[in-house]
Amino acid sequence: MSNETVSDVCYCSTKEHPPIPEPISSEDKAKQLEQELAINPTNTSAALRKLTSAEDNRPSAVGVGYLGVGLLTAVFGGLFLLDLNVILAGIKDLFCTSADVQNSVAVEETDC
């Protein structure tokens, strides 16, 4: 594309003359067009859809979700219940030890 010059501008018989554009190189014009046409990639619909989960209210999908939650709860709850006696014994031992240190007196054999 060639540069526009003053001779390319048509002066009509109007009161206001059209503005005369300043000469601009092809590279500068390309940069200017690139800036005008650039979009923010975080505001596109593809970027917004990537961060949003689609809702699925079908009964089969809901049932599979509840089944998954139930299985995970059973597995981790079972592991917790298997270790519950060890946890309670550790807590009991901790309280008995701290009571002995605070009293610093020979305590009769109690529940500890």
Side-chain angles (χ1 to χ4, degrees):
M1 193 174 221
S2 65
N3 293 337
E4 294 182 359
T5 60
V6 176
S7 62
D8 294 340
V9 176
C10 173
Y11 291 103
C12 303
S13 61
T14 61
K15 293 181 181 180
E16 297 178 15
H17 296 291
I20 299 173
E22 295 182 20
I24 187 169
S25 68
S26 300
E27 293 84 19
D28 292 338
K29 186 69 173 175
K31 287 179 186 177
Q32 181 183 11
L33 286 174
E34 185 177 337
Q35 287 177 346
E36 290 175 4
L37 296 175
I39 59 168
N40 187 357
T42 59
N43 288 339
T44 61
S45 66
L48 295 175
R49 282 194 319 265
K50 186 184 343 178
L51 301 175
T52 306
S53 297
E55 195 170 326
D56 191 0
N57 292 325
R58 294 178 296 166
S60 61
V62 172
V64 169
Y66 282 131
L67 179 67
V69 169
L71 287 175
L72 288 173
T73 303
V75 168
F76 290 112
L79 290 173
F80 178 75
L81 288 176
L82 287 173
D83 288 335
L84 188 61
N85 62 344
V86 176
I87 293 170
L88 292 176
I91 291 172
K92 182 179 177 183
D93 187 42
L94 180 67
F95 283 127
C96 287
T97 305
S98 65
D100 287 344
V101 170
Q102 286 178 356
N103 292 337
S104 68
V105 183
V107 179
E108 290 183 25
E109 191 66 31
T110 59
D111 199 22
C112 292

